[in-house]
């Protein structure tokens, strides 16, 4: 409510908020199942996470000096084809320094 009263706008009940952010994806790794990478539609036997904690991505193959992937793109599709996400692609960034919030969007569902 403070956000509204400070701008002279009346608070009108249930409001939802979302940030619109500018994000640097860099060199992403793609996946269908959240475990293995996908290259040109083929599932590869390449783990996407560096460890069991799933807090850091694997190193990019054949790159020297060793560099980790910068982001993870989870492809969407039917579960019968091995996809874990059904509706929209998900973009996952593991380091906050690659995210710049641009706008706070307020909206209501009717």
């Amino acid at each position: 409510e403070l956000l509204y009263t400070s701008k002279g706008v009346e608070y009108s009940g249930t409001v939802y908020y979302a940030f619109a952010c500018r994000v640097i994806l860099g060199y992403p790794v793609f996946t269908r199942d959240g475990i293995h990478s996908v290259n040109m539609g083929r599932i590869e036997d390449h783990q996407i996470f560096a460890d069991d904690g799933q807090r850091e991505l694997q190193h990019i193959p054949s790159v020297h000096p060793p560099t980790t992937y910068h982001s993870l793109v989870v492809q969407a599709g039917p579960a019968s084809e091995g996809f874990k996400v059904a509706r929209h692609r998900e973009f996952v960034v593991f380091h906050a320094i690659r995210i710049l919030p641009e706008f706070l969007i307020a909206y209501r569902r009717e």
Side-chain angles (χ1 to χ4, degrees):
E1 290 184 40
L2 181 61
L3 175 65
Y4 293 92
T5 56
S6 67
K7 299 295 181 186
V9 178
E10 184 178 326
Y11 179 70
S12 60
T14 303
V15 179
Y16 299 90
Y17 299 94
F19 281 105
C21 299
R22 188 178 305 226
V23 179
I24 299 170
L25 293 179
Y27 194 87
V29 60
F30 295 84
T31 186
R32 289 181 178 179
D33 61 7
I35 300 170
H36 300 95
S37 66
V38 175
N39 185 9
M40 305 299 267
R42 295 183 290 115
I43 295 178
E44 298 180 338
D45 191 25
H46 176 71
Q47 300 290 318
I48 57 175
F49 292 103
D51 58 26
D52 291 336
Q54 299 185 347
R55 293 182 177 267
E56 189 66 54
L57 295 169
Q58 270 296 0
H59 287 103
I60 302 168
S62 305
V63 172
H64 299 285
T67 304
T68 60
Y69 286 103
H70 302 118
S71 59
L72 174 64
V73 179
V74 184
Q75 301 287 19
S80 61
E81 294 179 23
F83 292 89
K84 295 291 182 184
V85 174
R87 247 183 143 166
H88 303 285
R89 283 185 297 174
E90 293 183 7
F91 299 89
V92 184
V93 179
F94 292 82
H95 298 281
I97 195 159
R98 295 185 179 126
I99 303 169
L100 177 63
E102 292 278 330
F103 302 99
L104 175 62
I105 301 166
Y107 63 97
R108 287 186 300 181
R109 295 180 183 175
E110 296 182 13

